[in-house]
């Protein structure tokens, strides 16, 4: 799917996702893509804030139990601190290539978290987790909306050209090798997380797998810190995309013509000095907008599903396929276009059917800061926490792992 984006870039001579859509479908395609392309990373930034706040607040309460009586303030303070001292400095970089070392550190954190999850499964420390009639049920009615979560997790098409332009000697062959290896590795890691996590907690598995582990589990508290680090190092990439979309729209509005961001002929020849002051202001507005909205959002499971269905799947499957079908000189039913047509059909079916299933259940009973019933008695003594016996509303899922 990313290969379709880059191929369309070469076919149209427009090395940006909005530029490709404009070359294929005019201004209508351009503005639709720009809206979706901004909405997806911005909502992701909000979800990252909420996840980091929930995750790190549990670690802090482990060391200062009295803070358990005001978890809302603790979450707000955590997000404020990391926004000012971590997120903003990283987001003020001009080029995504400057985050190469940070991306490697984020990847290392994910691998260490996976090792901790697998170790807890093999150690049997959570063998007290009760079985239920739903424990080994293969599929549920929310299977199709769950595709939205998977699309949300794997959707990186809004970053495609930013990453492609940061490569030295970028070619289709090198790009395909990089994407196939990276997506394949991501799939393997996600599968291992899913298998190990579900085998440990079965029907009680939450959307954020780390929510299932007890608050006095110091190994998993360390994993929570690593997860937060990984999330914070991913945050700037989403911010870069949002910033570029906003900057492009502002330039286009005032110039009434296609701006340079849309018309780069070759990613190895990108030129031009950026207005540092305007870039900083745009970055700060986007980051603080996400920060202000995040305290009002707790139940992220259905929201992420909706974002995946209405933004991630169209961005990942429908629009790249439609652009390739329009730009490719081959006939519609040719061998070259059939994969693109299949992606469009798949994305359309999943989006419509998933939204139809999800919308009636979008608003549910969601609780945060809960302690699972199989955790130790001393955890229940934490001030202000909520004890949950053996069941959990699936709508309480907060995020993906």
């Amino acid at each position: 799917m990313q290969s379709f984006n880059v191929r369309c870039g070469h076919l149209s001579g427009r090395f940006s996702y909005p530029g490709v859509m404009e070359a294929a479908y005019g201004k209508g395609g351009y503005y639709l893509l720009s809206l979706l392309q901004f909405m997806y990373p911005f909502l992701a930034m909000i979800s990252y804030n909420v996840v980091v706040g929930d995750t790190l607040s549990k670690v802090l309460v482990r060391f200062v139990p009295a803070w358990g009586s005001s978890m809302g303030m603790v979450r707000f303070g955590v997000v404020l601190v990391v926004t000012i001292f971590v997120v903003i400095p990283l987001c003020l970089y001009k080029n995504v290539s400057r985050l190469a070392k940070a991306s490697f550190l984020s990847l290392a954190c994910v691998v260490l978290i996976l090792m901790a999850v697998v170790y807890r499964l093999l150690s049997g420390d959570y063998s007290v987790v009760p079985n239920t009639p739903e424990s080994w049920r293969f599929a549920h009615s929310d299977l199709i909306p769950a595709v939205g979560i998977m699309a949300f997790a794997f959707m990186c098409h809004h970053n495609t050209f930013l990453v492609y332009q940061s490569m030295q000697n970028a070619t289709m062959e090198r790009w395909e090798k990089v994407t196939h290896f990276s997506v394949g590795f991501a799939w393997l890691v996600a599968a291992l997380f899913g298998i190990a996590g579900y085998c440990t907690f079965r029907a009680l598995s939450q959307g954020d797998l780390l929510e299932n582990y007890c608050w006095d589990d110091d190994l998993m508290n360390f994993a929570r810190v690593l997860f937060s680090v990984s999330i914070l190092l991913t945050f700037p990439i989403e911010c870069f995309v949002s910033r570029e979309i906003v900057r492009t729209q502002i330039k286009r509005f005032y110039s009434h013509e296609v701006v340079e961001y849309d018309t780069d002929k070759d990613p190895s020849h990108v030129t031009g000095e950026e207005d540092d002051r305007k870039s900083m202001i745009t970055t700060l507005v986007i980051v603080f907008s996400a920060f202000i909205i995040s305290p009002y959002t707790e139940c992220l499971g259905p929201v992420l599903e909706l974002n995946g269905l209405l933004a991630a799947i169209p961005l990942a499957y429908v629009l790249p396929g439609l652009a390739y079908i329009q730009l490719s000189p081959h006939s519609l039913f040719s061998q070259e276009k059939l994969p693109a047509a299949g992606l469009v059909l798949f994305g359309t079916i999943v989006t419509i059917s998933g939204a139809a299933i999800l919308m009636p259940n979008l608003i549910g009973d969601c609780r945060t800061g809960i302690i699972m019933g199989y955790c130790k008695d001393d955890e229940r003594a934490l001030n202000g926490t909520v004890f949950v016996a053996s069941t959990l509303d699936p709508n309480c899922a907060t995020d993906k792992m």
Side-chain angles (χ1 to χ4, degrees), residues 224-377:
R224 288 184 174 105
V225 174
L226 292 179
F227 183 41
S228 297
V229 170
S230 177
I231 287 292
L232 291 175
L233 294 178
T234 304
F235 194 108
I237 298 179
E238 308 296 350
C239 183
F240 286 171
V241 176
S242 300
R243 182 177 69 195
E244 287 302 311
I245 294 297
V246 172
R247 289 180 62 250
T248 301
Q249 298 307 316
I250 293 175
K251 287 182 179 180
R252 185 167 182 137
F253 177 79
Y254 284 106
S255 65
H256 300 287
E257 60 184 16
V258 178
V259 296
E260 181 181 356
Y261 173 67
D262 292 324
T263 59
D264 290 329
K265 301 300 181 181
D266 188 336
S268 64
H269 299 150
V270 179
T271 60
E273 291 295 328
E274 182 179 23
D275 188 325
D276 292 340
R277 186 170 177 271
K278 290 182 179 179
S279 176
M280 182 180 69
I281 293 174
T282 302
T283 300
L284 292 177
V285 169
I286 292 173
V287 171
F288 278 108
S289 296
F291 166 74
I292 292 171
I293 296 173
S294 59
Y296 299 97
T297 307
E298 292 186 359
C299 192
L300 290 183
V303 176
L304 290 179
E305 289 179 351
L306 191 62
N307 188 21
L309 290 170
L310 300 184
I313 289 180
L315 285 171
Y317 300 105
V318 179
L319 297 185
L322 288 175
Y324 185 78
I325 290 173
Q326 180 71 11
L327 294 172
S328 176
H330 303 284
S331 63
L332 178 61
F333 298 101
S334 64
Q335 185 177 357
E336 289 78 10
K337 285 190 176 181
L338 282 180
L343 286 178
V344 173
L345 180 62
F346 170 78
T348 302
I349 293 175
V350 171
T351 296
I352 295 175
S353 58
I357 295 174
L358 178 63
M359 291 302 291
N361 303 312
L362 186 59
I363 301 177
D365 178 21
C366 181
R367 294 164 291 173
T368 59
I370 61 174
I371 296 178
M372 305 302 292
Y374 48 76
C375 292
K376 298 178 181 179
D377 291 340

Side-chain angles (χ1 to χ4, degrees), residues 4 122 201 340 348:
F4 280 129
L122 299 179
F201 301 108
T348 302

Side-chain angles (χ1 to χ4, degrees), residues 43-244:
L43 291 179
M45 290 163 61
I46 295 173
S47 68
Y48 292 166
N49 279 337
V50 175
V51 172
V52 169
D54 286 341
T55 301
L56 290 183
S57 62
K58 292 176 176 58
V59 177
L60 292 177
V61 170
R62 165 63 173 158
F63 295 102
V64 189
W67 288 0
S69 59
S70 56
M71 289 295 291
M73 290 301 299
V74 174
R75 283 194 295 267
F76 181 85
V78 167
V79 176
L80 177 62
V81 169
V82 299
T83 296
I84 294 175
F85 294 103
V86 180
V87 170
I88 290 178
L90 291 175
C91 289
L92 288 176
Y93 280 126
K94 295 181 183 180
N95 195 299
V96 70
S97 61
R98 299 286 298 274
L99 293 177
K101 294 181 179 178
S103 297
F104 178 79
L105 178 59
S106 177
L107 179 62
C109 290
V110 171
V111 173
L112 291 175
I113 298 169
L114 177 60
M115 293 173 61
V117 170
V118 173
Y119 175 78
R120 278 290 179 254
L121 170 64
L122 299 179
S123 67
D125 293 338
Y126 287 87
S127 58
V128 296
V129 175
N131 276 306
T132 70
E134 300 289 317
S135 289
W136 299 105
R137 185 177 176 182
F138 178 73
H140 297 263
S141 60
D142 58 355
L143 176 63
I144 294 179
V147 176
I149 289 289
M150 290 186 284
F152 181 91
F154 283 90
M155 217 295 291
C156 50
H157 297 65
H158 58 303
N159 300 325
T160 297
F161 289 100
L162 284 176
V163 177
Y164 186 59
Q165 292 175 3
S166 71
M167 293 176 60
Q168 294 182 351
N169 301 321
T171 64
M172 279 300 304
E173 291 74 16
R174 294 190 65 193
W175 175 253
E176 289 182 351
K177 288 181 181 179
V178 169
T179 55
H180 290 166
F181 176 80
S182 58
V183 173
F185 179 78
W187 177 88
L188 177 62
V189 171
L192 290 175
F193 267 120
I195 294 171
Y198 192 80
C199 288
T200 304
F201 301 108
R202 299 174 292 281
L204 299 183
S205 299
Q206 298 193 55
D208 180 353
L209 181 59
L210 294 181
E211 290 288 319
N212 281 102
Y213 294 96
C214 299
W215 292 18
D216 66 345
D217 188 334
D218 290 329
L219 173 62
M220 300 316 298
N221 279 332
F222 179 64
R224 288 184 174 105
V225 174
L226 292 179
F227 183 41
S228 297
V229 170
S230 177
I231 287 292
L232 291 175
L233 294 178
T234 304
F235 194 108
I237 298 179
E238 308 296 350
C239 183
F240 286 171
V241 176
S242 300
R243 182 177 69 195
E244 287 302 311

